[in-house]
Amino acid sequence: MNQNVTHPHAAPPAPRRIEARPSDVGGIVLRRALPHRALRTVGAWCFVDHAGPAHFPPGQGMHVGPHPHIGLQTFTWMIEGALLHRDSLGSEQLIRAGQVNLMTAGRGIAHSEDQVGDGGALHAAQMWIALPDAERNRAPAFEHHAELPVVEGDGVSVTVLVGEALGRRSPVQVFSPLVGLDLVAQREATVSLPLDPAFEHAALVLRQRATVAGEALEPGALLDLGPGASAVEIHLAADAQLLLLGGAPFGPPPLLWWNFVARTQDELEQALADWNGGSERFGEVPGAGSPRLVAPSLAGLRLKSGG
C-alpha cells in the first residue's frame, strides 16, 4: 500500500481537528462529526454519525420508528451487531457487521431501523451523501451490499466502501465523485495511502487510536485534511479502525433540517408539512414495530446553508 501519486497542485492546507458533538440517544453514545459550523461537507458527504460502541442488556436495544428523508443517500456501515431496515418501498433487509445499506431518498422515502436480537452489541457509522441537483428528485431506491472489495497488506485491511482506491472499485452506486475507505489494523502498523488532490478528505477514528498526517486521533474527533494532498500517512494502533472519506468539492452546502437535505427553506417546509400531514409522498413502512416519528417544526427559523 505504500504507493505514491504526484499531481501538480497547490500545497494542501494544514489538517484541522473538528470535535464531534456527543449525545446519548436511547442508550447509545452518538458522536456527530458533520455537519459542523467549521466544516459543512467533505465532498458530497454532508452528515457523519458514529454510533456506539454500545452493549444493551437483555430485552433492550435501538429502535427507530418510521421517519422520512429527501435529497440524500443514507449510507450505513455496520461494525458490530445487526439492524433490520424496513422502508416504504417494501424493502426489509438485515444488515450485519461488514455490510452496507444504501438508501437513496430522492424525492422522498420513509424507513425504520430496529436492532436484532435480545440486547447485545451495536456499533455503526451512518453517513449521508447529498444528491447533486440533477439527481435529488429522482425516484427512491434501496440496495444492500453483503460484500465489498478488501485490500490486505502491511498489517492493515482496507475495505473500499465507496468509489475507487488501491486498484479496487466499490459496487455502491453514488452520484458524485466520492471515496470512502475503512481501515482496520491487525497489529500496530503504518500505511501511506494515495489521495486524489482534487478531492477534499477527512479521517474519523472508530476504535482505538491513530495518527493521521501527524495528528493524533481518538474517537470523538474528525480530522479535516482539505484538498490538495496526493497521499496521507496513517499510523494505526493494534485493533484500530478508521474511516477515510473524500470527494470532489460539492459547491454551496445544502440546507439540513431533521432528516431532510434541500436547497431552499421552502423545500424543507413542504417536506415537513407533507410528512406530518400524512401525505402519500413518503408512503408507509410495512412491519415497522415502533411509532412513526413527528417532524420538528422550523417555527419561524431561517436556516443558513449547511443547517
Side-chain angles (χ1 to χ4, degrees):
M1 288 178 207
N2 293 307
Q3 305 179 40
N4 290 302
V5 177
T6 59
H7 297 275
H9 201 281
R16 178 175 55 158
R17 180 186 296 268
I18 304 293
E19 297 297 333
R21 301 189 302 279
S23 60
D24 187 304
V25 180
I28 186 167
V29 175
L30 191 71
R31 302 178 182 92
R32 181 154 300 164
L34 284 182
H36 189 278
R37 63 181 178 276
L39 183 66
R40 299 298 189 182
T41 57
V42 175
W45 302 102
C46 65
F47 178 99
V48 176
D49 264 1
H50 177 201
H55 194 283
F56 292 95
Q60 297 184 25
M62 190 190 84
H63 300 280
V64 181
H67 58 281
H69 291 283
I70 63 167
L72 57 83
Q73 293 179 290
T74 62
F75 184 101
T76 303
W77 171 235
M78 286 300 296
I79 301 164
E80 189 176 7
L83 289 174
L84 182 62
H85 163 98
R86 296 182 177 96
D87 64 40
S88 52
L89 299 175
S91 312
E92 184 171 305
Q93 178 64 57
L94 183 66
I95 178 173
R96 299 184 183 277
Q99 300 180 347
V100 162
N101 276 353
L102 182 80
M103 187 179 73
T104 301
R107 60 178 175 261
I109 196 170
H111 74 134
S112 65
E113 293 171 295
D114 291 285
Q115 188 173 357
V116 175
D118 186 20
L122 183 65
H123 193 188
Q126 186 172 80
M127 289 81 79
W128 292 359
I129 302 167
L131 289 169
D133 283 344
E135 304 292 346
R136 63 195 182 92
N137 291 310
R138 69 181 290 114
F142 175 80
E143 60 188 69
H144 171 76
H145 295 277
E147 296 184 4
L148 294 158
V150 178
V151 180
E152 303 278 1
D154 298 330
V156 178
S157 298
V158 181
T159 302
V160 183
L161 303 175
V162 177
E164 186 172 6
L166 304 172
R168 305 294 299 276
R169 174 172 287 279
S170 167
V172 173
Q173 183 184 28
V174 294
F175 300 95
S176 297
L178 288 177
V179 68
L181 305 178
D182 179 86
L183 284 69
V184 176
Q186 287 81 44
R187 54 175 172 78
E188 186 174 355
T190 299
V191 296
S192 179
L193 292 177
L195 303 178
D196 184 336
F199 278 15
E200 302 165 336
H201 291 92
L204 181 72
V205 173
L206 303 175
R207 286 186 297 163
Q208 299 291 348
R209 303 172 309 282
T211 300
V212 181
E215 294 285 333
L217 291 178
E218 294 183 351
L222 177 141
L223 190 67
D224 173 26
L225 299 170
S230 59
V232 62
E233 185 171 275
I234 301 173
H235 180 81
L236 297 160
D239 299 321
Q241 185 167 7
L242 176 143
L243 282 179
L244 182 69
L245 305 175
F250 188 72
L255 291 176
L256 275 68
W257 180 256
W258 196 44
N259 298 306
F260 301 134
V261 171
R263 300 298 186 276
T264 69
Q265 182 133 346
D266 286 345
E267 290 177 60
L268 292 175
E269 297 278 11
Q270 187 63 59
L272 291 167
D274 288 345
W275 174 252
N276 285 341
S279 165
E280 294 181 359
R281 174 181 182 180
F282 296 104
E284 300 293 331
V285 180
S290 298
R292 190 175 187 269
L293 303 187
V294 176
S297 169
L298 281 164
L301 293 174
R302 297 305 299 179
L303 298 182
K304 294 181 180 180
S305 181

